[in-house]
């Protein structure tokens, strides 16, 4: 018998709100992530998929996909939509929130998705190609003036001068939030747009960022044509870098997530699949690895639950 567990999140004006602990949380809704979710659902596991916008997926931008068996001459957009339709027909829950970070405590992973918290027995990372650092010295200053989450760290910079680098238009919302806290905010968009509507303390700079500098903490952002004196820099990406999502992950020499033949990472209960595990960056590989990761996670969850029942 499978025992459903619940976790207490707090009270509202109606009563106590309870949320189920998912069997698996899948981070990423490309071919690998959706393949993993479908295979988990097929084994009767509860699953939640965290997705950004469909157009953020690399496959979405492919004009043609000619080498995926049985789907000759489809566009990447059409193929991805077919994957989404399959998942939705199976009743898979897809949450359009960006995962900021997650951690493991005992047998449970806690996932922070835009400051809404979810719990799961296992997690599958399907976050696409590895994100390289955007700025020179970026990795060196993470936690010392470099942040990837406005809501998480914004209050640390109240009344200060900061820069926000946005990969996509969605970053404007986080910049607006930070402008309420900062004395001065420089907004550096990495996408094309003609008009910006911010508060008076926001200056939009259409120049490419190059590096970050400081001593113990950040004090300068170098652009192509100038240097900004700042107390902190927020880099708002479409997806978080893997090494910022959870600590303790091991990586290969070329920067991909290290996995075994069951797609298990260096953290028990955490699996990875698709482009984030290495080349070739192909749909067929992603779908196949997603299937292995989903089935491996299902087996892992079964073992964890059976062990909990024996203790009870």
């Amino acid at each position: 018998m499978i025992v459903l567990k619940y976790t207490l999140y707090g009270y509202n004006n109606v009563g106590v709100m309870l949320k189920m602990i998912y069997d698996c949380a899948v981070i990423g809704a490309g071919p690998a992530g959706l393949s993993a979710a479908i295979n988990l659902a097929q084994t009767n596991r509860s699953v939640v998929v965290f997705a950004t916008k469909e157009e953020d997926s690399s496959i979405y931008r492919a004009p043609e996909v000619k080498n995926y068996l049985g789907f000759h001459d489809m566009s990447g957009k059409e193929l991805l939509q077919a994957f989404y339709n399959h998942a939705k027909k199976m009743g898979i829950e897809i949450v359009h929130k960006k995962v900021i970070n997650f951690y493991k405590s005992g047998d449970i992973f806690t996932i922070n998705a835009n400051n809404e918290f979810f719990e799961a027995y296992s997690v599958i990372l399907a976050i696409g190609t590895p994100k390289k650092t955007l700025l020179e010295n970026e990795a060196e200053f993470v936690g010392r003036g470099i942040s990837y989450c406005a809501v998480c760290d914004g209050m640390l910079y109240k009344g200060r001068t900061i820069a926000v680098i946005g990969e996509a238009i969605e970053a404007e919302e986080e910049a607006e939030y930070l402008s309420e806290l900062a004395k001065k905010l420089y907004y550096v968009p990495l996408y094309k747009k003609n008009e910006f509507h911010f508060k008076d303390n926001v200056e939009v700079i259409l120049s490419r960022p190059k590096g970050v500098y400081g001593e113990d903490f950040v004090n300068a952002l170098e652009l192509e044509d100038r240097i900004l004196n700042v107390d902190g820099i927020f880099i708002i990406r479409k997806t978080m870098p893997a090494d910022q999502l959870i600590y303790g992950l091991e990586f290969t020499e070329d920067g991909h997530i290290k996995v075994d033949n069951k797609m298990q990472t260096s953290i028990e209960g955490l699996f990875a699949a698709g482009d984030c595990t290495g080349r070739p960056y192909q749909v067929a590989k992603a779908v196949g690895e997603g299937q292995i990761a989903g089935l491996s996670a299902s087996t892992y969850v079964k073992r964890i639950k059976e062990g909990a029942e024996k203790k009870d």
Side-chain angles (χ1 to χ4, degrees), residues 190-206:
L190 302 183
Y191 54 94
K192 292 183 179 179
K193 188 179 177 182
N194 295 323
E195 294 185 13
F196 296 87
H197 303 283
F198 289 115
K199 293 178 62 180
D200 292 340
N201 66 332
V202 177
E203 180 181 346
V204 178
I205 299 180
L206 304 178

Side-chain angles (χ1 to χ4, degrees), residues 104 106-107 109 121-123 264-271 300 303-304:
K104 187 180 183 184
D107 292 332
F109 289 91
Y121 289 105
S122 63
V123 173
Q264 168 77 56
T265 71
S266 55
I267 299 171
E268 187 179 23
L270 174 60
F271 303 83
Y300 169 80
R303 177 167 59 83
I304 291 296

Side-chain angles (χ1 to χ4, degrees), residues 286-299:
V287 170
E289 287 189 352
Q291 180 187 40
I292 296 170
L295 295 177
S296 297
S298 180
T299 300

Side-chain angles (χ1 to χ4, degrees), residues 51-67:
T52 56
K53 290 186 175 182
E54 290 182 33
E55 52 265 37
D56 289 340
S57 174
S58 58
I59 185 179
Y60 184 93
R61 298 185 291 274
E64 287 183 302
V65 179
K66 293 189 175 183
N67 63 344

Side-chain angles (χ1 to χ4, degrees), residues 220-261:
L221 171 64
E222 182 186 7
L223 304 172
E224 286 180 325
D225 57 355
R226 62 192 286 196
I227 293 177
L228 304 175
N229 294 319
V230 295
D231 300 306
I233 301 169
F234 288 80
I235 304 174
I236 310 303
R237 288 188 154 126
K238 297 173 185 176
T239 57
M240 296 289 288
D243 60 349
Q244 297 302 311
L245 283 171
I246 188 170
Y247 295 105
L249 265 183
E250 291 184 8
F251 295 86
T252 61
E253 290 184 359
D254 57 359
H256 295 92
I257 299 172
K258 190 175 182 179
V259 293
D260 63 16
N261 60 1

Side-chain angles (χ1 to χ4, degrees), residues 113-215:
N114 286 1
N115 283 338
E116 183 177 347
F117 294 88
F118 299 77
E119 292 187 330
Y121 289 105
S122 63
V123 173
I124 296 173
L125 288 174
I127 55 177
T129 51
K131 290 285 184 181
K132 296 180 180 178
T133 53
L134 178 68
L135 307 172
E136 185 177 348
N137 301 324
E138 177 184 331
E140 181 182 336
F141 284 98
V142 172
R144 297 193 294 128
I146 291 283
S147 176
Y148 299 100
C149 175
V151 177
C152 304
D153 299 326
M155 288 300 294
L156 298 174
Y157 298 91
K158 189 173 183 178
R160 298 188 177 189
T161 299
I162 59 176
V164 176
I165 301 171
E167 275 195 347
I169 195 169
E170 289 77 21
E172 292 179 22
E173 184 177 341
E174 298 196 46
E176 287 175 1
Y177 164 74
L178 289 167
S179 71
E180 299 287 340
L181 302 171
K183 178 178 71 175
K184 172 75 175 181
L185 187 148
Y186 298 102
Y187 186 66
V188 185
L190 302 183
Y191 54 94
K192 292 183 179 179
K193 188 179 177 182
N194 295 323
E195 294 185 13
F196 296 87
H197 303 283
F198 289 115
K199 293 178 62 180
D200 292 340
N201 66 332
V202 177
E203 180 181 346
V204 178
I205 299 180
L206 304 178
S207 180
R208 197 80 184 174
K210 294 179 63 179
V212 54
Y213 301 95
E215 295 181 2

